Amino acid sequence: MIFVNFKNYPQTQGEKGLKLARICQEVSQKTKIPITPLVSPLLALEILKKLGPPVFLQHADNPTPSTKTGYITLTQIKNLKITGTLLNHSEHRLSPGETKNTATAAQKLGLKTIVCLSSLGQAQKWGRHLKTDYLVYEPLEFIGSSTDSVSTRRPEIIKKIADLVSPLPLLVGAGIRTPEDIKIALSLGAAGFLISSAVVLAKNPRQKLTTLAKSLA
Ligand code: G3P
């Protein structure tokens, strides 16, 4: 499986975002590899209206007390029929306690969650105990890289975390941009990928995503 993180790149704003989500859906249908966009709440609603699920958010909140202002709550997400959410991305950190509480609350509501970890230590200390559908290992230093990837630079950590958290599926992300990156990580026990810049910034996102998806088959 592949999750495409739209982040806030200009290439994902407004109609362009919807077009990229359509590409995700069409490439998924063609290659039979599940491909899900990770988007802002506003774009998620457009996607649901025009294309349908699945769609995940890039972040969610679990505010207590409920008088806090400006949060994207799990209940709203559930009521709007959004599939699930990413939590604790390196670009939108939560504390371990907040991550745990939010993931547990999301599961109770039937929302899917992907929790990001940036090190083996996090996986050992608290990541492996979380109630979540997926964990993802993304070392911060390779996020957005066009020369290095988690697969080529941290293969031993992928293997260790995949073994540690099994049978929970481990996704990997950070600098994933070639079929080789995909194949290395799969051979080490990864079950899927979080990919952003390689697809979002590609001259031809459909072609790039198709190439990457086919290497998972
Ligand atoms: O969430 C995925 C992301 O952080 C990885 O980004 O650009 O290295 O694929 P990128």
Side-chain angles (χ1 to χ4, degrees), residues 1 4 11 60-61 66 72 86 100 105 123 128 134 146 151-152 162 166 171 193 195 197 202 210 212:
M1 78 200 76
V4 180
Q11 291 84 342
D61 301 298
S66 50
I72 309 294
L86 188 64
K100 180 174 166 241
R128 67 191 165 126
Y134 310 99
S146 57
S151 300
T152 55
S166 177
L171 314 179
F193 299 86
I195 304 175
S197 52
T210 303
L212 293 172

Side-chain angles (χ1 to χ4, degrees), residues 104-185:
T104 303
Q107 273 223 334
K108 277 194 191 142
L109 287 173
L111 289 169
K112 300 268 181 211
T113 56
I114 309 169
V115 175
C116 294
L117 305 169
S118 55
S119 69
L120 175 61
Q122 288 182 354
Q124 287 167 329
K125 275 190 216 129
W126 51 270
R128 67 191 165 126
H129 303 300
L130 292 174
K131 291 198 188 336
T132 181
D133 297 279
Y134 310 99
L135 287 170
V136 52
Y137 169 50
E138 288 204 334
L140 185 54
E141 57 273 41
F142 306 121
I143 291 180
S145 173
S146 57
T147 52
D148 296 305
S149 77
V150 60
S151 300
T152 55
R153 297 295 301 276
R154 296 288 180 270
E156 69 292 348
I157 308 286
I158 296 175
K159 170 102 182 83
K160 280 186 185 158
I161 300 182
D163 289 347
L164 180 74
V165 305
S166 177
L168 201 57
L170 179 72
L171 314 179
V172 299
I176 297 288
R177 67 193 182 285
T178 66
E180 202 201 352
D181 290 327
I182 301 268
K183 289 195 159 72
I184 291 172

Side-chain angles (χ1 to χ4, degrees), residues 69-113:
T69 297
Y71 289 72
I72 309 294
T73 67
L74 297 170
T75 316
Q76 290 169 330
I77 297 170
K78 171 72 179 174
N79 289 341
L80 292 168
K81 300 193 176 4
I82 292 167
T83 318
T85 186
L86 188 64
L87 293 170
N88 193 42
H89 192 278
S90 295
E91 294 155 0
H92 202 147
R93 280 272 176 245
L94 296 170
S95 69
E98 284 170 327
T99 305
K100 180 174 166 241
N101 292 341
T102 309
T104 303
Q107 273 223 334
K108 277 194 191 142
L109 287 173
L111 289 169
K112 300 268 181 211
T113 56

Side-chain angles (χ1 to χ4, degrees), residues 58-72:
Q58 298 168 8
H59 172 77
D61 301 298
N62 185 30
T64 44
S66 50
T67 49
K68 285 192 169 176
T69 297
Y71 289 72
I72 309 294

